[in-house]
Amino acid sequence: MKDLFYYEFKNGVKLKNRFVVAPMTTYSGNKDLTLSDEEEMYYRKRGESFGMVITAATAISKHAQAFQNQISIKDETYLPSMKRLAKAIKEGGAKAILQLHHGGRMNAKGLYPNQDIVSASSIKALRDHAPNPRALKTEEVYQVIDDFLQAMKLAIKAGFDGIELHGANTYLIQQFFSPHSNRRNDEFGGSLEKRMTFPLMLIDGAIKVRNQYANRDFIIGYRLSPEEYETPGITIEDTLSFIEKIIERDLDYIHLSLGKYHQSSIRDKNDNEPIISKVKTIVGNQIPIIGVGQIDDCDQAIDALEYGYDLLAVGMASLADPQFVGHIKDKQKPKKTIDDQSFLPQSLFERLDRWKGIEDRGFNLIEKK
Ligand SMILES: Cc1cc2nc3c(=O)[nH]c(=O)nc-3n(C[C@H](O)[C@H](O)[C@H](O)COP(=O)(O)O)c2cc1C
């Protein structure tokens, strides 16, 4: 049986356990998009318990910003803020992974003057009040790739143990892979293969940056959403073809963004095979897979490992209980009350009050004193 309380990557990086704080936006950065003191505390508390912490989606450029008070790594002036973030996570012995993000057509409107909301094509997302994005010109796409790689160089300088490319949850990287948002006919679109160009260029670029500016122990991960609801939209077959390309590259993990770790297709209700089983058939043991989605206690964690996941990302349960792993180790139930002892930034706490479905999972919010 896999040991819950130890993990070693192929590059030799060791984790104190297989639990990972899932990347979670806190909406709580300072006005200038640097890390706030509340956020620093939030990360410090979780770094004491979890093996690895993936940060909130961090904006790689001015136009990448998707949310109010989202932390940024858009230029050198953000280095002190990013150093504080890496240090807060690492102090307790966790590995610190910075999630690199561009929101594309999912950016909220009105975040700053002269906002430029861009995407692969000028197609609105299927949601209420979605902005109409401007299609990036071919040379601008190369600039965005460069922005990601510049951000990665800063992440190395800031002392992170790795980066995660946020290719999931309908944001820009996914928008290039998606036949819904990508209707281009240059090298970045037109066929399944061409829709892979942008994410694969990013991955190849990141590997080059690692070779040049870091060591092989610098972790590079890729987060993806295996399917989309839209028609046309990403299918599981598209994703399996993409994963075949990813595993040819020297990447350290793939992170499957799912609502439930054992979930099957959201497009084909007659297909009951869990997505993870399909992915494992393709990847075998060639690359570690991080699972996520309602891993709320020890039984679910063990079950997820049996499905084939190597690392377990914990979202909501890590928000409620910063000492989640310690409680599991001591055979106690993780705390499900979200209160002062959860050490959450205030804006995040207020958002959770409106988050759908958390009571059904046994979480409850207690107003701060
Ligand atoms: C408050 C909140 C913020 C989130 N922000 C991000 C994010 O910045 N990047 C990301 O990839 N996923 C984000 N997610 C999704 C989580 O990483 C995770 O996939 C999801 O919460 C499911 O895991 P859970 O069931 O353990 O909560 C967010 C989720 C929550 C609850």
Side-chain angles (χ1 to χ4, degrees), residues 225-288:
S225 296
E227 292 178 300
E228 283 178 337
Y229 286 104
E230 289 90 344
T231 304
I234 297 170
T235 64
I236 187 65
E237 289 75 26
D238 291 350
T239 293
L240 295 177
S241 308
F242 180 38
I243 287 178
E244 279 178 1
K245 299 283 178 202
I246 295 180
I247 56 181
E248 289 169 3
R249 289 156 165 90
D250 198 9
L251 218 67
D252 298 292
Y253 69 80
I254 293 173
H255 188 170
L256 292 186
S257 182
L258 292 172
K260 282 190 193 149
Y261 64 92
H262 51 78
Q263 140 190 342
S264 54
S265 176
I266 54 169
R267 293 181 72 89
D268 180 359
K269 296 286 173 213
N270 297 321
D271 182 350
N272 295 322
E273 187 184 1
I275 301 276
I276 175 62
S277 308
K278 292 181 191 285
V279 169
K280 282 301 276 187
T281 306
I282 301 281
V283 306
N285 289 321
Q286 293 180 77
I287 186 165

Side-chain angles (χ1 to χ4, degrees), residues 22-25 27 56-57 99 166 169 223 257-259 292-296 313-316 319 348 352 355 361:
M24 280 179 288
T25 299
Y27 314 93
Q99 191 182 55
H166 192 354
N169 303 359
R223 189 172 219 214
S257 182
L258 292 172
V292 73
Q294 306 192 17
I295 300 172
D296 293 344
V314 181
M316 200 54 74
L319 295 182
L348 176 57
L352 293 182
W355 215 266
R361 283 165 63 184

Side-chain angles (χ1 to χ4, degrees), residues 25-38:
T25 299
T26 66
Y27 314 93
S28 305
N30 294 320
K31 267 205 171 120
D32 62 0
L33 312 186
T34 56
L35 189 80
S36 63
D37 293 343
E38 300 182 297

